[in-house]
Amino acid sequence: MVALTARSQSIRSSSHLTMQTVEIGAQTIAIRSLDWDRDRFDIEFGLRNGTTYNSFLIQAEKTALIDTTHGKFGQLYMDALTGLIDLSTLDYLIVSHTEPDHSGLVKEVLELAPQVTVVGAKIAIQFLENMVHRPFKSQIVKNGDRIDLGNGHELEFVSAPNLHWPDTIFTYDPKTQILFTCDVFGMHYCDDHTYDEEPALVEDDFKTYYDCLMGPNARSVLSALKRIEKLKIGTIATGHGPLLQNYIPDWISRYQNWSQEVAKTDNLVALFYAQDYGHSDQIARTIARGIARTEVAVELVDLNEVDPHEVRELVNQAKGLVIGMPAQSSNLAHAALSTILAAAHNKQTVGLFETGGGEDEPIFPLRNKFQEIGAIEAFQPILIKEAPNPAIEQACDEAGTHLGQWLTRDRNIKQIKSINNDLERALGRISSGLYTITAKKDDLINVTIASWVTQASLEPLGVAIAIAKDRAIESMLHVGDRFVLNVLEEGNYQKLMRHFLKRMPSGDDRFAGIKTYPATDGTPILADALAYMECEVSSRMECSDHWIVYSTVKTGRVAKPDALTAVLHRKVGNHY
Ligand SMILES: Cc1cc2nc3c(=O)[nH]c(=O)nc-3n(C[C@H](O)[C@H](O)[C@H](O)COP(=O)(O)O)c2cc1C
């Protein structure tokens, strides 16, 4: 065993990946993989501060490694780990959940530690069997189960399903009072500090992380918080970002308050799906992300785990229902679907999807039943027969946004109607130009009409655009993304505006019949625009229901030097 002082040791690689090993408690070492430059996590996260993947080693009479790291750290991590322990003596590998950024090197560890017992929730072990393609010893743990490593390290497991993976478990070590939570309480934030010394630096990332990953499972968060209530926690050893030590009650109460807020909301979509079926999990999360953009709460529920009482309660509360139909349903899923149908009513908005199904498409009989009930269909049934690609993801994301927009339409109409107000009339006198924003990412293209656009800097030349949080294009306007700002022409914008404001089914070509030519990165430039600018997003500021997206202008051209910019004169300031 290598003795470490409380000071950390760092190993740096050439590609802005570094390792930090630091003692965080008796016989306990954090092995932190620092990914300084990572700028994106899944499609939803534009990262500002990189991220870390934290793994932990406890070396008592017996030894346990808690999680590994992202595969990109490969040899760097293995060198740090094998510098601390001879892997042929490792007793346990605890897998908090099987997401690849924490289990990316499980296979490599198993190769050097074939004797190790892998510990995890039942689904985690099943997932791993499919991932590593080699036999290994395993121990399935449930809530309250313990493993004694000796010297007082009697590890206790806490089941925390859905946070944010189905197989999540926490590990609590009473000797050091460290609770290992993996994703939960994590954040994408990378620096050399091991702990949360300055909460102001990280609280935004803590919130964003909660919103993206935990918010859709607010009820499950509350159940997990209840389970850890009785524990005396000195450190929360998270899987991403700094470990929490200095403000633990505050961090926990933030999770508590945000989750309670979501759980009691009256604008809720219950999204039922079978987590371990095909690509159901990925599709469910993508639709949930689209819904969340409209500030409607989403609760993801596994059809195979939920009890009928909870289903009834959720369906009674929810304004929208999304159901991911498993092609072959288990008895439990079948019972849950019957309970949903029995509790559903004609004021509800419904969306259905099916992944991996064959020709029988059980989604259609289900759709007929909802039609008989009189429920409103939010989007056409989504049938996914192949692995989701970016275009499928975009269609699912947009389907979720449409559902959310439908559920918030009353609120928005009310807002627009409340025009008898001097303030709103005064604000309406702010006039602006008319623009079309086109954006392209990988093979996905999106477009929106915008008027809240202004030049925002001289050196470098920069523009600011206010983009509503529930705009589908919003996910393509994160820091580092490029887009084209097309300036519309006075007297010649109506056709373009009508075209792009028309609601089209997700997946349709929004540029059909519109003349375009490609910008440097292939983004469509509208041939009928008066001028265009190619821009790159440098920063974003959250402003209530909009993001202000500040971007530098890289290049541009005026196509019609004598024409004027289309101007929008409004009467009231409570809509565009
Ligand atoms: C005249 C006009 C100006 C608009 N300006 C903006 C704007 O500045 N920012 C914005 O987010 N949406 C703006 N919108 C709304 C979007 O263009 C429109 O709702 C959108 O294209 C629909 O796409 P969605 O499916 O992404 O919601 C404007 C709409 C109109 C009619």
Side-chain angles (χ1 to χ4, degrees):
M1 185 175 113
V2 175
L4 281 180
T5 62
R7 280 161 55 84
S8 66
Q9 299 188 348
S10 297
I11 309 172
R12 185 170 272 275
S13 88
S14 51
S15 54
H16 298 283
L17 304 178
T18 64
M19 296 299 308
Q20 182 194 60
T21 48
V22 55
E23 188 170 318
I24 57 166
Q27 299 166 314
T28 307
I29 295 166
I31 310 166
R32 303 180 68 228
S33 305
L34 278 65
D35 190 346
W36 294 90
D37 295 337
R38 183 160 181 177
D39 59 0
R40 188 154 286 279
F41 214 100
D42 302 333
I43 190 172
E44 71 260 46
F45 263 126
L47 305 187
R48 296 174 307 161
N49 299 307
T51 193
T52 77
Y53 319 93
N54 306 330
S55 153
F56 304 93
L57 183 64
I58 306 173
Q59 292 169 295
E61 284 164 20
K62 290 189 172 172
T63 53
L65 178 66
I66 303 179
D67 298 318
T68 63
T69 186
H70 195 290
K72 66 160 83 166
F73 279 81
Q75 205 52 46
L76 208 55
Y77 173 84
M78 293 307 288
D79 286 348
L81 180 61
T82 51
L84 296 168
I85 184 171
D86 171 0
L87 281 178
S88 67
T89 66
L90 182 66
D91 294 295
Y92 297 102
L93 168 57
I94 298 170
V95 175
S96 305
H97 75 293
T98 44
E99 207 175 5
D101 53 333
H102 303 284
S103 60
L105 294 178
V106 164
K107 205 170 166 186
E108 284 72 3
V109 170
L110 284 179
E111 256 150 43
L112 296 180
Q115 78 293 343
V116 80
T117 301
V118 180
V119 178
K122 189 171 167 201
I123 329 175
I125 301 296
Q126 283 165 358
F127 278 153
L128 277 179
E129 280 163 356
N130 294 330
M131 245 168 79
V132 299
H133 305 296
R134 56 169 293 157
F136 57 85
K137 280 197 273 177
S138 64
Q139 182 171 343
I140 291 170
V141 286
K142 295 193 298 298
N143 190 56
D145 284 356
R146 287 163 195 255
I147 289 180
D148 194 352
L149 302 182
N151 300 345
H153 297 272
E154 191 182 3
L155 305 184
E156 178 178 341
F157 299 97
V158 178
S159 158
N162 303 328
L163 298 187
H164 83 112
W165 269 42
D167 52 355
T168 304
I169 52 167
F170 300 160
T171 305
Y172 178 67
D173 184 346
K175 165 91 176 188
T176 51
Q177 299 184 345
I178 300 176
L179 179 67
F180 301 91
T181 56
C182 206
D183 277 351
V184 184
F185 300 113
M187 66 200 86
H188 291 306
Y189 191 87
C190 178
D191 77 359
D192 280 324
H193 293 105
T194 307
Y195 297 103
D196 54 341
E197 280 145 38
E198 290 197 49
L201 283 182
V202 294
E203 60 189 4
D204 284 355
D205 294 295
F206 185 77
K207 174 77 164 79
T208 308
Y209 192 92
Y210 172 90
D211 287 344
C212 288
L213 300 186
M214 304 297 152
N217 290 96
R219 280 159 206 270
S220 305
V221 174
L222 291 172
S223 312
L225 292 183
K226 229 179 168 34
R227 289 199 178 129
I228 60 169
E229 234 169 38
K230 62 174 200 318
L231 304 176
K232 207 157 182 272
I233 304 169
T235 303
I236 297 180
T238 62
H240 293 293
L243 315 191
L244 309 180
Q245 195 172 61
N246 300 306
Y247 307 90
I248 288 177
D250 181 41
W251 294 124
I252 293 182
S253 75
R254 288 183 198 218
Y255 259 49
Q256 181 94 32
N257 296 339
W258 293 330
S259 303
Q260 275 167 347
E261 217 33 57
V262 176
K264 72 169 193 245
T265 178
D266 63 341
N267 218 351
L268 173 78
V269 174
L271 197 162
F272 297 93
Y273 69 114
Q275 246 160 2
D276 53 355
Y277 190 79
H279 302 284
S280 189
D281 189 66
Q282 192 179 347
I283 297 302
R285 287 179 196 287
T286 311
I287 296 175
R289 188 174 65 225
I291 297 170
R293 190 173 292 120
T294 63
E295 295 192 348
V296 168
V298 197
E299 188 69 32
L300 292 166
V301 187
D302 187 349
L303 284 167
N304 290 315
E305 294 282 328
V306 68
D307 76 68
H309 175 70
E310 206 184 326
V311 175
R312 244 190 316 276
E313 201 182 298
L314 259 175
V315 176
N316 284 337
Q317 189 192 346
K319 288 202 170 145
L321 301 173
V322 175
I323 298 167
M325 187 71 188
Q328 297 118 20
S329 49
S330 67
N331 286 345
L332 260 170
H334 196 75
L337 282 170
S338 307
T339 313
I340 295 169
L341 281 167
H345 55 80
N346 65 358
K347 297 251 167 6
Q348 273 162 332
T349 306
V350 175
L352 305 176
F353 70 92
E354 182 185 310
T355 57
E359 295 309 307
D360 44 346
E361 296 176 348
I363 199 172
F364 287 104
L366 184 66
R367 185 192 200 193
N368 292 343
K369 291 196 177 122
F370 276 111
Q371 279 171 347
E372 280 164 25
I373 293 168
I376 304 148
E377 187 167 81
F379 51 80
Q380 296 268 319
I382 301 173
L383 290 165
I384 292 172
K385 308 225 182 234
E386 56 196 286
N389 56 33
I392 292 176
E393 287 216 351
Q394 186 183 7
C396 293
D397 185 303
E398 283 181 8
T401 301
H402 287 168
L403 168 54
Q405 285 172 338
W406 176 258
L407 294 179
T408 49
R409 74 198 184 289
D410 288 347
R411 181 188 73 194
N412 295 340
I413 291 169
K414 223 186 266 164
Q415 244 171 34
I416 290 171
K417 279 191 177 156
S418 64
I419 57 169
N420 262 341
N421 176 323
D422 277 349
L423 176 60
E424 282 160 356
R425 284 168 196 266
L427 207 64
R429 298 298 148 146
I430 298 177
S431 54
S432 49
L434 272 174
Y435 309 86
T436 299
I437 296 169
T438 45
K440 176 173 178 294
K441 202 171 214 173
D442 304 321
D443 288 335
L444 307 178
I445 295 179
N446 216 324
V447 52
T448 198
I449 295 286
S451 56
W452 293 2
V453 176
T454 178
Q455 183 164 349
S457 65
L458 287 169
E459 186 49 55
L461 289 170
V463 292
I465 299 167
I467 281 292
K469 285 184 174 169
D470 63 359
R471 212 52 75 233
I473 202 170
E474 182 276 331
S475 65
M476 297 171 123
L477 300 176
H478 284 257
V479 173
D481 290 343
R482 290 181 75 112
F483 65 90
V484 171
L485 181 63
N486 302 273
V487 183
L488 300 186
E489 181 192 349
E490 185 64 68
N492 187 25
Y493 64 87
Q494 291 87 346
K495 185 175 154 243
L496 284 173
M497 236 174 88
R498 263 200 310 277
H499 179 89
F500 288 122
L501 287 172
K502 213 167 26 197
R503 178 132 287 176
M504 290 187 190
S506 308
D508 277 16
D509 177 9
R510 301 203 59 189
F511 291 88
I514 300 291
K515 272 188 280 171
T516 63
Y517 58 97
T520 333
D521 66 346
T523 306
I525 295 171
L526 302 184
D528 284 334
L530 155 65
Y532 78 88
M533 281 148 271
E534 291 186 37
C535 309
E536 183 175 316
V537 180
S538 337
S539 59
R540 298 176 21 128
M541 185 167 104
E542 190 169 6
C543 296
S544 163
D545 43 13
H546 281 66
W547 286 101
I548 298 209
V549 179
Y550 169 72
S551 315
T552 50
V553 181
K554 301 292 172 196
T555 171
R557 203 175 77 85
V558 179
K560 305 178 182 178
D562 299 326
L564 292 176
T565 303
V567 179
L568 179 68
H569 292 292
R570 303 173 303 166
K571 290 277 162 49
V572 284
N574 56 4
H575 61 94
Y576 301 111

